Amino acid sequence: MIDVARIPLALYVHLPWCVRKCPYCDFNSHALPSAGMPEGAYVQALLDDLEHASRDAAGREIVSVFFGGGTPSLFSPAAIGAVLERARALLGFAADVEVTLEANPGTVEHGRFEDYAAAGVNRVSLGAQSFDDDALRTLGRIHGAGDIERAVREVRRAGIDNFNLDLMYALPRQDLAGALADLERALDLGPTHVSHYQLTLEPDTPFAKRPPQGLPDDDLALAMQEACQARLAAAGYEQYEVSAYARPGRRCRHNLVYWHFDDYLGIGAGAHGKVSLPDRIERTVRVRHPAAYLGANTASLRVAERRVVPPAELPFEFCLNTLRLPEGFDPAEFEARTGLGRSALGESTERAAGRGLLETVDGRWRPTRQGLRFLNDLQALFLPG
């Protein structure tokens, strides 16, 4: 049996529109329609969706809310406030609830963050990606380095002291010095959290079909990763997930919900959710395209899929998430989150240990340095069958 009451619950809200779709992005995001963004209609759909999703809360309060996209900062503070107000009324928030808003530095208006903060936002994640204007143009971003700096000033002026900067490396024509220079510019702004990840060519994106010239090879990308990891550590940022670094006490609570295999309600076009019940775990997916999501006549019709995760798949699902954490997991956590005995992990842990990808420290299974480097290989060892 799964002790549902002990599993933290989060809320993810998907806001799907961007000013322009980036060529590397495979997220469910869409360029703004020519007629303009239907903010009012979409917010009403979200409120209906939220009421429907709240049935899965099992009396638990929300520990974190994440507005992701797309570009959530295209939505007005009043829209964000309306969703938060309804969520608080329906579900209740933890006293220290973390509320994150993703923002594009190119869509930040003077004074807007003060209104977001008044609506309840207490954490911001800025999609910086790079401080090299040529690289930003290649990436299809609508902002420049100066916009990032202005956005950070606006966030601070609003009294929001907890903010993340997204930063890419292994960019077209980037060398090791360029990757480190980007990181130094980011650190100069004093973020509490840095998401530092490699540019990858995702299937069915413009970059995958027409790769940009000058992409670093694997050896150079690894050198960038290791050099930047060392610099982040020296600056006081702890790596607590494959691509996430935080000041002490500033880990992203919402992302930890995913990586600890906790529960989350997902509302909005294409949003995913995970809900634990005493005897099973269910995953939900909302209708993907914004027009179809808006066109649904009832909240139930916005749910495109609801499926029970077969017990045979749970070891892989659990390890797919928890092994992204350098600290790994305690077998007791596996039992509490899945309702399965630790024997359900089978011989996968031993095989991973035999290949030097996994180790036990103080009773916890955790990835080795090689395991984090070859994470896909490590996770694949837990696939069913």
Side-chain angles (χ1 to χ4, degrees):
M1 294 284 288
I2 300 172
D3 189 356
V4 177
R6 296 173 64 89
I7 300 177
L9 179 68
L11 172 65
Y12 175 77
V13 184
H14 192 68
L15 306 178
W17 288 287
C18 295
V19 173
R20 183 172 64 204
K21 179 88 170 179
C22 297
Y24 58 84
C25 178
D26 69 339
F27 294 166
N28 181 29
S29 58
H30 305 263
L32 285 171
S34 57
M37 186 173 64
E39 178 177 283
Y42 193 76
V43 169
Q44 186 56 57
L46 286 175
L47 298 180
D48 293 343
D49 197 357
L50 178 60
E51 185 155 359
H52 183 77
S54 67
R55 304 171 190 177
D56 290 327
R60 290 174 288 172
E61 63 185 10
I62 297 296
V63 300
S64 70
V65 183
F66 197 99
F67 290 91
T71 303
S73 53
L74 291 173
F75 278 71
S76 69
I80 300 300
V83 175
L84 289 174
E85 181 180 2
R86 188 64 179 142
R88 189 186 296 273
L90 281 170
L91 302 163
F93 286 173
D96 60 347
V97 65
E98 175 193 88
V99 180
T100 300
L101 178 81
E102 286 188 331
N104 186 319
T107 62
V108 173
E109 297 178 15
H110 180 74
R112 200 170 173 103
F113 278 117
E114 294 179 359
D115 293 328
Y116 286 133
V121 171
N122 55 26
R123 184 176 184 274
V124 169
S125 182
L126 291 169
Q129 315 311 354
S130 177
F131 287 83
D132 182 308
D133 285 337
D134 288 337
L136 288 169
R137 282 189 287 271
T138 300
L139 293 172
R141 304 297 291 177
I142 64 170
H143 69 271
D147 294 314
I148 304 169
E149 295 163 351
R150 282 189 290 274
V152 169
R153 287 197 297 270
E154 294 296 335
V155 168
R156 291 191 184 282
R157 187 177 289 118
I160 301 173
D161 66 350
N162 190 13
F163 71 94
N164 167 70
L165 290 180
D166 280 346
L167 198 65
M168 289 184 176
Y169 66 92
L171 304 178
R173 295 179 292 278
Q174 188 178 56
D175 57 16
L176 178 58
L180 284 167
D182 257 356
L183 181 58
E184 289 298 336
R185 293 282 297 275
L187 295 179
D188 285 345
L189 296 175
T192 53
H193 189 286
V194 176
S195 297
H196 189 253
Y197 54 98
Q198 182 177 346
L199 172 65
T200 55
L201 305 186
E202 301 291 350
D204 299 322
T205 61
F207 267 13
K209 297 171 184 175
R210 296 178 297 279
Q213 294 183 349
L215 285 172
D217 61 25
D218 289 344
D219 289 339
L220 179 53
L222 178 60
M224 292 176 181
Q225 176 188 336
E226 292 181 338
C228 290
Q229 284 176 336
R231 180 66 188 96
L232 282 159
Y237 293 83
E238 177 189 22
Q239 183 184 20
Y240 71 98
E241 189 267 344
V242 170
S243 60
Y245 305 78
R247 296 276 192 195
R250 296 296 198 170
R251 295 182 176 189
C252 177
R253 190 176 310 165
H254 189 85
N255 284 341
L256 282 172
V257 164
Y258 300 145
W259 300 326
H260 285 157
F261 207 57
D262 296 334
D263 285 350
Y264 49 98
L265 307 177
I267 65 171
H272 288 242
K274 171 186 172 285
V275 179
S276 296
L277 300 168
D279 61 344
R280 65 190 185 277
I281 292 174
E282 296 184 351
R283 288 202 175 273
T284 61
V285 184
R286 273 14 186 201
V287 170
R288 180 176 175 84
H289 198 279
Y293 179 84
L294 283 167
N297 292 324
T298 65
S300 61
L301 292 177
R302 294 189 179 96
V303 181
E305 180 182 340
R306 188 180 185 106
R307 64 181 288 267
V308 176
V309 181
E313 295 178 10
L314 285 174
F316 172 68
E317 288 222 3
F318 179 86
C319 291
L320 184 70
N321 291 280
T322 58
L323 291 181
R324 295 182 64 87
L325 302 168
E327 66 191 37
F329 67 91
D330 188 310
E333 295 167 358
F334 171 77
E335 294 176 330
R337 290 296 184 272
T338 65
L340 303 175
R342 62 191 67 188
S343 62
L345 292 167
E347 299 176 356
S348 300
T349 50
E350 299 299 335
R351 288 200 304 270
R355 292 177 56 178
L357 302 175
L358 204 61
E359 61 185 357
T360 53
V361 178
D362 297 329
R364 300 182 68 87
W365 283 107
R366 72 180 195 187
T368 62
R369 184 177 180 183
Q370 284 292 95
L372 287 173
R373 181 180 174 187
F374 298 104
L375 185 60
N376 289 341
D377 293 342
L378 171 57
Q379 292 165 330
L381 292 173
F382 292 87
L383 282 166

